[in-house]
Amino acid sequence: MGKTWTLTEVARTLIDEDQFLVGYHESKGSETSHLLYAVSDLYARWLADATMREQAISLWERHSSELVPRIGKMVGLLFEKLAPKGGPEGVASIVRAAFDGLAEAQKDLLSGGVQLAPLPYEEAFALTELVAKMSGRRIALFLDAWEKSPSVRFEHATLEAFLKHIEHWPHVHIFVAIRYPDLNSSREPEAAYRYASDLCRIDRAALLFPLDVIDPSTQEERNRLISFVKRQLPAAAPETEQRIFELIDGYPGVLSFWSSEAKHGTIRTREDLRLIARDAQELRYIELERLLSKLPDRSSKALALRIAFFQRLESETWELFRGILLAGHEGSTVNELIDLGVLADERFPTYGHDTRSAAAQQWFIRNQLPAFRRASEEVIEATASCITGVQAHDEPFLEALIHCLPSAREIGVNARCVCLIDAARTTSGDFEGVNDEKFDGSYTKAIRANVSISPLIAMALINRGMNRAELGDNNGAINDFSSAIDLPALPVRQSAIARYNRACLEDSEGNIHQAIGDFTVVAEDPDTPAELRALALHNRGHAKGRLHDDEGAVADYSAVIELAGAPVEQVTQALINRGIRKRNGGEPNPAIVDFSSAIEVIDAPAPQMAMALFERATTKQQIGDYADALRDFTATIDLADAPLVQVAKALVGRAAMFASRGAHDKAIADYTAIIELPGAPGEKVARAYQGRGTSKAHLGDSKGAVQDLSSAIALPGATKDVRIQCYTNRGTVKARNRHLRDAIEDFSAAIDLIDVRDATSANPIFARGVAKWELGDFQGARDDFDTLRASPDAPEHLLLLASRILESRD
């Protein structure tokens, strides 16, 4: 209790100073991201102030294009919903809904249902920076009960990135509170404490403050504490400083008890002050033993057991879990437990503070373990049965199951319940439980006992399959997807996800016909969600294309384009792929129509628009429409948010086009832009050095040409084709400058990379023959020319030139 009281007091003080905006969140162990909800609270506090809200909306309308483009859509919608609100009513719920939407956007469609992913560093930074810019205030974020975060490791990674780039952030302080050691003996608090200690080693800006017993070391601090107590509690006014310190006795929890709203109104006398201080000192809630041991009937005891296992609810989640926790009993039982003092008087059933909840749970473990275990198993099974395979609906039930893990381990629930919790854990990336060989046997028995848990088990099998695929175990992944498909009473969406993923792996393994079979089942089931049908059709089109069924591939892409409800990105990609297929089939003009249609799709993602522009430019270049091709390459380069790889490809395409038209200065400028582009793909950089070197050679800059061609050869990203061309071109430059032996070495290096029967080997073989001839190595030259003649694909003009050279000697 000391840590929470300390944090809330710091937050209150900063708010009172009117220089800080505060975001506060106490983890319940089930949030998608601890940091996300602290930032959400920051927004709610900021926008609850009508004046600040009006200023924020006004600034956003005028400067939204300059502010946080990555999360601008979410913030824009938030401001749009808040604009008509006259007062603070409803602001918190609107902000929470917007941030829940942000968390939802992080989920992976094909992960089996839900990924409880943390708020990425970039979004945390962008959201916080926006508040700082628009409010002109400093920011303080409070993360209470950090040890309960669903993934302390991910939260630690975000804070580590914060420390490493702290100079980029606005004036931001982050306060993290950890209970160490944890009151619940089944947890492992050392992990959170260790991560916090690591942060202090990463950067001296991070400081660790153990909250020991209160020990004011200066009179100033003693005066401040006494002043606070007497200001808060009129009953303390006649007490001496010494007496107040005796009552506190070094424990911050006494201050929390004295200042809590629930007890504040009951402190009227010095005796009240003493009794409440005594209650706080006992901390372990001795009164619970009396209250719990004398529960009046079976119904109230059953509810008390279930809530002790489930621990803290929230007002918004109570309605979701009401049926599970009441288990058919009347809601009046809750009121009865509140009246008895067992539960706190709140809008949802709770024992109150987390220490009191932990104390209640430990009492049941010590005194009612068999009954507590049975009640816990009922709660786990009932919660698992609520999972339907629909992502938005399932998240709170999955989080609840994950949160049950430490308590379930401590009381030793049955294998069936362990299996259900392990299944839920896969949604947070924890596969330890499902990788145990006992899991498969346990889930089979669990489904036989209760078929309604099939969606949860399917989710786990799909998630495990995805994980195995990422680790390279495709056979294991295919088996998992097959097992999910075979489960009884499986929702259509989950069956489609499992079958689609199995098809993708079968395709990657070369089993194209099996893959097409699975894609077909998904695509042709009218009950399959449109986004999955679109994916299946799209991938079936790819598979057909690899079987040279161009007509079938085009038909599948067309089906995606015409599919009602297909996602915009799928429609756009289908237009691009259909255009590529048409172009490769010798239909450039219909291909250009498809690329143009993709560019004109409303809300088409920037990466796909860039791809469509690039492909249209390439196609126009093929048919000789150089002016339009140049415009499209330029449009790709200038497109906001275009992926780096597309910008690099467009620069290469435009540079090559300039070079082919003799505009080598412009080509060199584009190639240089690629070389200097931060993060440009290595293959494109190598291609740029090769192109720039070749253009420099055309302009007579032999030294610059050799340097660039050498740079390209040395780059690890250089492809074999680029290296062949570089060796050939460098050899040509050296031969032109009469460095014939060096030129022969380069031509030989190029030839060594090529099959001599390949048509691309003709140029370096011919060039090497010429260089040998000029050095007087006539036999070596004849050998090269004979090799050239033996190649079935050697160009006629090179064969003619070789014959003339030989005839001149004869």
Side-chain angles (χ1 to χ4, degrees):
M1 264 198 293
K3 63 179 179 55
T4 298
W5 183 85
T6 302
L7 284 193
T8 54
E9 278 302 303
V10 172
R12 183 189 60 76
T13 302
L14 292 177
I15 292 170
D16 288 347
E17 289 179 359
D18 205 30
Q19 294 182 2
F20 278 85
L21 282 173
V22 167
Y24 186 98
H25 184 70
E26 178 183 354
S27 177
K28 306 298 189 298
S30 58
E31 306 88 341
T32 52
S33 168
H34 199 162
L35 181 62
L36 172 62
Y37 289 108
V39 177
S40 171
D41 184 63
L42 173 72
Y43 270 66
R45 291 170 186 261
W46 170 40
L47 297 172
D49 183 293
T51 304
M52 278 199 258
R53 184 164 70 252
E54 290 171 4
Q55 292 174 355
I57 294 171
S58 173
L59 278 167
W60 180 265
E61 289 172 350
R62 286 181 281 121
H63 302 291
S64 60
S65 61
E66 308 163 19
L67 298 170
V68 208
R70 291 175 64 86
I71 49 94
K73 188 173 182 181
M74 184 277 282
V75 176
L77 290 173
L78 171 61
F79 284 177
E80 185 179 315
K81 290 181 179 178
L82 287 172
K85 299 287 178 182
E89 299 82 5
V91 168
S93 61
I94 291 173
V95 172
R96 180 62 178 265
F99 275 77
D100 284 345
L102 180 62
E104 189 73 18
Q106 298 176 56
K107 310 296 192 316
D108 179 2
L109 169 68
L110 300 180
S111 67
V114 180
Q115 278 289 9
L116 306 182
L119 180 69
Y121 169 83
E122 292 84 359
E123 289 179 351
F125 169 73
L127 288 162
T128 308
E129 183 185 39
L130 179 60
V131 175
K133 278 184 179 179
M134 299 181 81
S135 70
R137 307 286 184 93
R138 300 174 181 180
I139 305 297
L141 298 174
F142 292 82
L143 310 181
D144 197 0
W146 199 60
E147 76 281 358
K148 292 184 181 179
S149 298
S151 179
V152 175
R153 179 168 59 87
F154 283 121
E155 300 282 357
H156 167 266
T158 302
L159 295 184
E160 180 180 353
F162 166 76
L163 288 170
K164 288 181 177 178
H165 304 283
I166 199 167
E167 71 279 2
H168 298 150
W169 285 67
H171 194 125
V172 175
H173 295 270
I174 298 179
F175 297 85
V176 174
I178 301 166
R179 182 180 294 285
Y180 179 77
D182 198 292
L183 290 180
N184 189 326
S185 60
S186 64
R187 296 197 181 101
E188 297 180 6
E190 289 77 10
Y193 183 79
R194 186 175 66 252
Y195 276 127
S197 301
D198 287 345
L199 290 172
C200 297
R201 286 192 284 270
I202 289 169
D203 194 291
R204 293 180 65 186
L207 301 173
L208 193 64
F209 294 98
L211 289 181
D212 296 321
V213 296
I214 295 176
D215 180 25
S217 56
T218 66
Q219 187 61 43
E220 180 185 1
E221 191 64 18
R222 291 171 65 88
N223 293 341
R224 198 167 74 88
L225 190 149
I226 296 299
S227 174
F228 169 82
V229 171
K230 292 190 175 185
R231 186 174 64 250
Q232 290 282 319
L233 301 165
E239 297 288 354
T240 64
E241 177 182 303
Q242 183 62 31
R243 177 60 177 161
I244 290 174
F245 272 99
E246 287 175 358
L247 291 173
I248 294 173
D249 194 23
Y251 178 52
V254 173
L255 295 174
S256 181
F257 265 56
W258 280 346
S259 59
S260 72
E261 290 184 13
K263 293 182 173 59
H264 188 276
T266 68
I267 303 176
R268 298 184 178 87
T269 67
R270 298 172 67 182
E271 181 63 13
D272 293 337
L273 199 69
R274 184 188 68 78
L275 291 174
I276 289 177
R278 184 200 63 186
D279 289 344
Q281 295 294 353
E282 290 177 347
L283 179 63
R284 296 297 178 179
Y285 298 101
I286 302 301
E287 88 280 8
L288 270 177
E289 294 196 14
R290 176 178 56 81
L291 295 171
L292 295 176
S293 64
K294 295 181 179 181
L295 286 172
D297 58 37
R298 188 173 180 180
S299 175
S300 58
K301 180 177 288 187
L303 180 58
L305 284 163
R306 287 165 177 259
I307 293 174
F309 174 72
F310 209 74
Q311 295 212 353
R312 289 177 66 92
L313 291 161
E314 291 180 318
S315 55
E316 55 265 37
T317 58
W318 164 233
E319 291 303 321
L320 283 174
F321 296 102
R322 174 191 287 270
I324 293 172
L325 294 173
L326 291 179
H329 298 294
E330 295 295 328
S332 59
T333 308
V334 176
N335 294 330
E336 181 182 349
L337 290 173
I338 291 172
D339 293 341
L340 290 169
V342 174
L343 299 181
D345 187 8
E346 297 191 29
R347 289 173 294 171
F348 53 93
T350 174
Y351 282 94
H353 197 276
D354 58 354
T355 54
R356 194 169 189 269
S357 297
Q361 186 176 102
Q362 291 303 311
W363 186 88
F364 281 119
I365 290 173
R366 289 193 306 270
N367 299 283
Q368 301 277 332
L369 181 57
F372 189 47
R373 185 186 297 118
R374 286 193 299 272
S376 302
E377 289 169 349
E378 290 169 2
V379 168
I380 290 170
E381 290 218 29
T383 304
S385 297
C386 291
I387 292 169
T388 63
V390 178
Q391 181 171 310
H393 169 273
D394 292 339
E395 184 174 328
F397 299 103
L398 290 163
E399 291 173 342
L401 285 174
I402 294 169
H403 184 55
C404 286
L405 177 62
S407 300
R409 280 178 172 168
E410 185 172 9
I411 64 178
V413 298
N414 62 40
R416 195 162 69 232
C417 289
V418 172
C419 158
L420 299 178
I421 295 173
D422 285 341
R425 289 165 62 194
T426 64
T427 61
S428 60
D430 184 350
F431 297 96
E432 179 185 2
V434 296
N435 285 334
D436 190 308
E437 59 184 17
K438 297 176 183 176
F439 175 77
D440 287 13
S442 295
Y443 87 68
T444 303
K445 294 176 183 175
I447 288 179
R448 278 202 298 266
N450 181 5
V451 74
S452 64
I453 65 166
S454 274
L456 172 60
I457 299 303
M459 191 179 293
L461 289 170
I462 293 169
N463 285 336
R464 187 173 73 177
M466 296 289 288
N467 182 247
R468 285 178 169 173
E470 288 176 7
L471 297 174
D473 181 10
N474 284 356
N475 288 332
I478 289 170
N479 289 337
D480 278 342
F481 297 139
S482 299
S483 296
I485 293 165
D486 292 339
L487 291 175
L490 192 65
V492 170
R493 183 178 184 278
Q494 286 188 308
S495 178
I497 289 172
R499 198 176 289 275
Y500 171 80
N501 284 322
R502 184 173 73 177
C504 289
L505 287 180
E506 292 282 12
D507 195 4
S508 69
E509 291 287 301
N511 303 321
I512 299 180
H513 293 288
Q514 290 95 316
I516 288 175
D518 271 343
F519 285 137
T520 300
V521 172
V522 177
E524 296 183 359
D525 186 340
D527 294 326
T528 299
E531 71 271 16
L532 281 171
R533 293 183 68 192
L535 283 168
L537 284 164
H538 213 133
N539 282 274
R540 189 174 72 176
H542 291 333
K544 287 178 178 178
R546 288 196 298 282
L547 292 176
H548 307 294
D549 179 6
D550 291 339
E551 185 178 344
V554 168
D556 279 346
Y557 296 141
S558 300
V560 175
I561 295 163
E562 296 162 7
L563 179 63
V568 168
E569 60 270 18
Q570 287 296 328
V571 173
T572 309
Q573 193 62 52
L575 283 164
I576 295 169
N577 289 344
R578 188 172 72 176
I580 293 171
R581 185 65 56 182
K582 287 178 179 178
R583 181 185 65 202
N584 294 346
E587 300 180 87
N589 290 319
I592 289 171
V593 171
D594 274 348
F595 297 138
S596 299
S597 297
I599 294 164
E600 293 165 5
V601 170
I602 297 173
D603 292 330
Q608 291 174 325
M609 188 175 291
M611 185 184 299
L613 282 165
F614 175 80
E615 295 296 344
R616 189 171 72 176
T618 302
T619 310
K620 287 178 177 178
Q621 187 179 17
Q622 287 179 0
I623 62 175
D625 187 355
Y626 297 112
D628 272 0
L630 186 62
R631 278 193 286 272
D632 279 346
F633 280 134
T634 301
T636 308
I637 295 162
D638 294 340
L639 180 66
D641 297 326
L644 201 61
V645 66
Q646 288 292 347
V647 172
K649 286 170 66 176
L651 282 166
V652 168
R654 189 172 72 174
M657 196 170 158
F658 282 142
S660 69
R661 312 283 289 173
H664 290 291
D665 286 335
K666 291 181 177 179
I668 288 171
D670 273 352
Y671 287 133
T672 301
I674 299 167
I675 292 165
E676 295 175 353
L677 190 64
E683 186 270 329
K684 298 303 176 188
V685 174
R687 175 73 179 81
Y689 272 117
Q690 180 237 315
R692 191 173 74 173
T694 303
S695 284
K696 285 180 178 178
H698 280 288
L699 294 176
D701 180 6
S702 298
K703 182 179 179 181
V706 169
Q707 286 177 341
D708 278 349
L709 294 168
S710 299
S711 294
I713 292 166
L715 284 174
T719 64
K720 186 171 80 169
D721 289 344
V722 165
R723 292 170 65 207
I724 291 167
Q725 194 62 50
C726 286
Y727 278 124
T728 302
N729 291 353
R730 192 172 72 177
T732 301
V733 173
K734 290 176 178 178
R736 186 184 303 152
N737 288 284
R738 308 307 297 167
H739 302 303
L740 296 175
R741 297 190 186 280
D742 289 344
I744 289 170
E745 285 184 11
D746 277 348
F747 295 138
S748 297
I751 293 165
D752 289 342
L753 293 172
I754 320 172
D755 186 330
V756 293
R757 294 167 295 181
D758 192 315
T760 58
S761 67
N763 283 331
I765 289 174
F766 174 77
R768 188 173 69 178
V770 172
K772 288 178 178 178
W773 187 271
E774 293 185 6
L775 278 175
D777 181 5
F778 302 118
Q779 185 57 50
R782 286 180 183 277
D783 292 341
D784 278 342
F785 293 150
D786 287 342
T787 300
L788 188 66
R789 287 171 174 169
S791 176
D793 297 318
E796 288 293 330
H797 72 281
L798 292 183
L799 293 173
L800 181 61
L801 287 171
S803 296
R804 287 179 178 174
I805 291 171
L806 292 172
E807 288 170 1
S808 69
R809 175 68 178 171
D810 295 338

